[in-house]
Amino acid sequence: MKNDARTARRLVLPLTALATAIISINAAADDSSASMETVQVTAQAANARSDIDRQRHSNKVVAVQTADAIGELPDANVTEALQRMPGVFIARDQGEGRFVGVRGIDPSLNATTISGMSLPAPEADTRAVALDVIPSDLLASLEVSKTLTPDMSADSIGGAIEIKSLNALDHDGSAYKIGVENSYSDLQGEHSPKLAAKFTNVFELDGGRQLGLAIAASHQQRNFGSENEETDGVWERMQAEDGSEAFGAPEIEQRDYTITRERTGLAANLDFRLSDTGKLYLHSLYSDFSDDEERQRNEYKLDKGDLQTITASSATWSDARIKKSLKDRYEEQKILSVIAGGEHDLDLWGLEYALGYSRAEENEPNRRDTAFQQKGLEIGYTSAGRTPDLFASDSAAATDPSRYGLDEIVVENNFTDDEEVSFRLDLRRDLQLAGNQTELKFGVQQRNREKTGDLNATTYDGFGGDYTLADFAMRRVDYGLAAFGPGVDKGALNRFISANRANFTVDETATALDSARDYVMDEDVTALYAMHTIEFDRANLVYGLRYEKTDFSADGNRVIESGAPIAGAEQVAEGVYVSGESYQRDYNDLFPSVNFKYDLTDNVVLRAAYTESLSRPSFGKLNPSAKEIEYDDGELKVEAGNPALDPYEAQNFDLSAEYYTDRVGMFSVGVFHKAIDNFVVTADVTASTDLTQYVGSLVVDDAEILRPINGDTATLTGAELSWTQGFDNGLLLRANATVSDSEADLGLGAGAGRSSKIALPSQSDLVGNFIIGYERDAFSLRLSTSFTGERLVAVNSEDAALDSYQDSHMQVDLSAKYRFANGLKLSFSGVNLNDEPLYIENSGYNGQYEKYGPTYVLGLSYSTF
């Protein structure tokens, strides 16, 4: 029995070939006249039909987008292409989509694979793969599975994202495409070029064998930026010296970012068809992503002064400080994935195998953070809300660069590496059971993963002289949210550091604290599974059991800033002691699953599924080394990991009905329920933390300890609707929405200062898309709207008013294309046309407000596909 994937492929290929086809039907009316009827199958309609048919014939609940369908949208990378699927939303960085979430669930709770093998993550703090490093030009299709079968990794509570790369055997003969683009950032006034190309060829060999070669490459240099105002910490209730009381902020920052991002993607795939029953393949993907960031920042350090008076919308501090700082950071991320394998049909038996190697690394060389400081200022704000209006009573002093003394320079060299070797072997056997065609499949999978971090920072607090910002001042910072004052000239500062660094004085304590964050984490997963598929007359049943054994170990450092020696710890600087921190645990899990599909009629498909899954906490949350320890005059701030975290565990229920029209049309409605144990949330755990583990016997007057903890239980219940309809006049409408509701229990117990019930962290109650497409002759147009509802992003274990939420986000994008008869295509896109910002708040007060502006893209391509 052939599996569903092969069946779906045979259905998809002829539909894809129709993408630009025009079928002409000639009929003679009589001897003297003739009439012609032309039926045009538009590219948009054919691509929609291809996606729909892949979904219809799957034995799971899935959403699919082929490369041709992605090409109709204004999406530059895999992340932004995925956001158009039902139930899918994206998390953005500097306005660009980076991480993908499914059904409103945190992006770190998804599994991501390419050609069946998992992808590692270059970032230090997350398992979520930033799919923006993979250009959309390099893929054949995207598939998001919302229910799992036993032959899939169980590491997925949200969804399993499968990236299928180019396969030359899906095309006939030789074909190529080359394209150029230029994008324009309206906020920064910068242009960004892009070049992409792909080539496929099929070589006919002796004995009917075929060798397919597919090569794709893409390079983009994007120049853009953002403007930001954010609060360091949260707004909390404060009492002023005059007795007034209201919510106030400890520190408010103004930030201006200027960024150059470069993306280079390469894919080279070999597919060798031995016969109708066997093939071999070698697929490779390389991605190089760099981010050159310059950040100008004003830090209004309000809580370093004395609060004189405060209202709900204004406050004044005396003897406070302003810091002006520059972050000069170049970061490079690389992902390499190589997969070799084969598939063979051996009469009643089938064999599949694959060996994969993946590596992701992030390198941050010679990062420089420089701060200038002025003390003794009377400062505050005259309005609160989304963007507080900041003021200084003596504005002349606050904007005088000569009054800002050079306070600190930090030079960092950081490197993280995520490496995985994986192997899978699958056997299947065709059987007859009570007259029904069935398939028994079983196999073994092994994944060995190692995540390492080598973090090094040197802090300088003496510079051989009394330097001020006037020695390095940049008079104008292009910042539109408010008056910014002078900034830091990067060139002048870097020349100074290069010429004088050997004479700087090292802050031994800060350097020791920041450089003791190294870690090594190993995670080995061994999996066995058995799966049975039964084909009834109008139904399909897939059920089975998966076993996974996880071996986890973590090695890091425990750092203590103390006035007295610490037993068993090594002194690395005056008052700083370090001891090794190791953790190891093994756990075993069984994951039953059932997927049932029933063709009620030729047009109606019913589905039901029960699956169990887990999601392992991110490596950043498992890190035994504290990410940050700051102690200053009795004030302690710690951001730490927790290697003892249990993995999320979930029971997942799905019911859905799908209606398919004879033309380009589909309507589906589904409901789902997830019961989740051990969900993870970052919480302020100061009240329950022994502070001596960070400061020994030092006196602590005020502390904030942030650490991930396991909550108790959580539930997520929702409904998912999707609609696609094509019309004879070339109009295509697509809409989808996922509505969900969640409740999680922090497990605080009796006597807690707040309710233990919260929404599931990072879960959005509403995720939706609406797309209007139109195609007539050579012209096509798409207007796309994506919406992600409010979601909880940070929890305070003592006061619900201090919880932080990310505001709802709605973005409007436009794509227009004109296809010339000779294969040329002219395209125009507008991204974030409504200038939607990012906003995070607590109790209605600013947490982060960031503005990106719209981007416009003009492109030209030539294709023989």
Side-chain angles (χ1 to χ4, degrees), residues 20-174:
T20 56
I22 296 178
I23 304 172
S24 298
I25 303 173
N26 298 314
D30 49 43
D31 292 338
S32 61
S33 66
S35 63
M36 176 182 293
E37 180 183 0
T38 301
V39 179
Q40 180 170 329
V41 181
T42 68
Q44 290 193 31
N47 294 332
R49 171 63 74 183
S50 175
D51 296 347
I52 289 170
D53 280 347
R54 285 268 295 270
Q55 173 182 320
R56 178 175 186 169
H57 291 90
S58 176
N59 57 14
K60 306 181 293 291
V61 178
V62 299
V64 178
Q65 271 195 330
T66 59
D68 291 330
I70 293 168
E72 298 295 329
L73 293 161
D75 300 323
N77 59 64
V78 169
T79 300
E80 292 178 345
L82 281 163
Q83 73 174 312
R84 313 297 177 183
M85 293 184 172
V88 177
F89 72 97
I90 61 176
R92 291 177 168 85
D93 173 48
Q94 294 292 343
E96 288 192 319
R98 298 214 72 194
F99 302 103
V100 178
V102 180
R103 288 179 165 173
I105 297 176
D106 192 316
S108 64
L109 305 186
N110 299 323
T112 304
T113 58
I114 181 165
S115 298
M117 291 294 180
S118 62
L119 275 177
E123 281 87 357
D125 295 332
T126 182
R127 288 181 186 269
V129 180
L131 295 175
D132 65 324
V133 302
I134 304 177
S136 55
D137 310 270
L138 308 185
L139 54 91
S141 68
L142 296 170
E143 184 172 298
V144 178
S145 297
K146 299 169 187 177
T147 64
L148 305 178
T149 52
D151 57 344
M152 302 171 64
S153 171
D155 193 1
S156 173
I157 289 179
I161 301 166
E162 166 67 2
I163 303 167
K164 296 187 182 296
S165 57
L166 284 174
N167 185 335
L169 297 180
D170 291 340
H171 306 275
D172 293 326
S174 175

Side-chain angles (χ1 to χ4, degrees), residues 254-256 296-298 324-325 399 477 479 482-487:
Q254 298 169 326
R255 300 183 177 194
D256 182 80
Q296 302 281 348
R297 179 171 67 176
N298 291 331
K324 286 183 171 287
S325 62
T399 57
V477 176
Y479 183 77
F484 195 90

Side-chain angles (χ1 to χ4, degrees), residues 684-857:
D684 185 334
V685 295
T686 307
S688 60
T689 300
D690 178 9
L691 302 182
T692 62
Q693 64 181 296
Y694 300 113
V695 293
S697 58
L698 294 178
V699 176
V700 177
D701 299 318
D702 185 35
E704 181 184 58
I705 314 298
L706 300 178
R707 195 180 192 197
I709 61 172
N710 281 116
D712 192 359
T713 60
T715 58
L716 176 68
T717 303
E720 200 165 75
L721 297 93
S722 180
W723 175 61
T724 299
Q725 183 62 59
F727 299 90
D728 293 339
N729 61 1
L731 186 66
L732 178 69
L733 300 179
R734 307 192 79 164
N736 59 71
T738 299
V739 183
S740 59
D741 181 63
S742 68
E743 183 177 88
D745 189 343
L746 289 171
L748 298 177
R754 60 160 295 162
S755 170
S756 189
K757 303 295 184 182
I758 61 170
L760 189 66
S762 296
Q763 178 261 331
S764 296
D765 287 346
L766 176 61
V767 175
N769 290 277
F770 181 65
I771 301 172
I772 302 175
Y774 177 77
E775 187 162 9
R776 199 68 174 175
D777 300 323
F779 176 74
S780 66
L781 182 71
R782 277 209 175 186
L783 181 67
S784 310
T785 300
S786 59
F787 177 86
T788 302
E790 180 184 79
R791 56 196 182 104
L792 175 66
V793 294
V795 174
N796 184 284
S797 60
E798 296 182 348
D799 188 349
L802 306 185
D803 292 348
S804 295
Y805 292 84
Q806 182 172 319
D807 201 13
S808 60
H809 185 98
M810 186 180 76
Q811 182 167 308
V812 179
D813 305 319
L814 174 70
S815 175
K817 294 179 172 62
Y818 187 86
R819 298 173 177 85
F820 297 92
N822 60 0
L824 282 174
K825 181 170 68 176
L826 181 67
S827 63
F828 171 80
S829 298
V831 179
N832 194 23
L833 293 175
N834 57 325
D835 193 11
E836 182 77 347
L838 167 73
Y839 181 55
I840 296 174
E841 54 85 19
N842 76 282
S843 294
Y845 291 95
N846 169 281
Q848 180 179 351
Y849 178 89
E850 195 160 63
K851 183 177 181 179
Y852 315 106
T855 299
Y856 306 99
V857 185

